[in-house]
Amino acid sequence: AMYFRRGWIKVEILRKIPSRIHPDIDPVAGLTFEKSDLLKGDTLDQVVTWKGNSDISGCGEILVIRVRMFQAKLFAYRV
């Protein structure tokens, strides 16, 4: 569930789980904050997309989801 006033959420994917999350770790090509479509609105089921694409099947089974938010709350997510 997500709740926004005038805010937004962006998502990027990392392939490896680092020993500690650091902003310099490179995301998966094409699944970056820069290509992430903004999530907006008050909704219970919104799909994350990058330039309209939601396919993360090429990332493998273990991945890290990095989230950037502005004036928003993220209550839950599922992969």
Side-chain angles (χ1 to χ4, degrees):
M2 292 174 279
Y3 175 73
F4 304 84
R5 291 192 187 275
R6 293 176 302 255
W8 49 260
I9 294 177
K10 287 184 166 192
V11 178
E12 70 181 5
I13 303 293
L14 309 175
R15 256 195 197 95
K16 297 179 184 175
I17 298 176
S19 57
R20 65 185 182 93
I21 301 298
H22 190 275
D24 292 339
I25 296 172
D26 291 331
V28 175
L31 304 179
T32 64
F33 286 136
E34 292 73 29
K35 296 197 176 188
S36 177
D37 298 319
L38 292 178
L39 298 174
K40 293 182 172 183
D42 187 2
T43 180
L44 294 176
D45 193 14
Q46 193 167 1
V47 176
V48 175
T49 57
W50 295 266
K51 299 287 184 187
N53 180 17
S54 64
D55 183 12
I56 61 169
S57 62
C59 293
E61 294 198 15
I62 298 176
L63 52 87
V64 172
I65 299 169
R66 189 158 40 187
V67 178
R68 184 175 287 166
M69 302 187 303
F70 174 74
Q71 294 183 348
K73 292 180 183 179
L74 177 64
F75 294 101
Y77 67 89
R78 68 179 176 188
V79 179

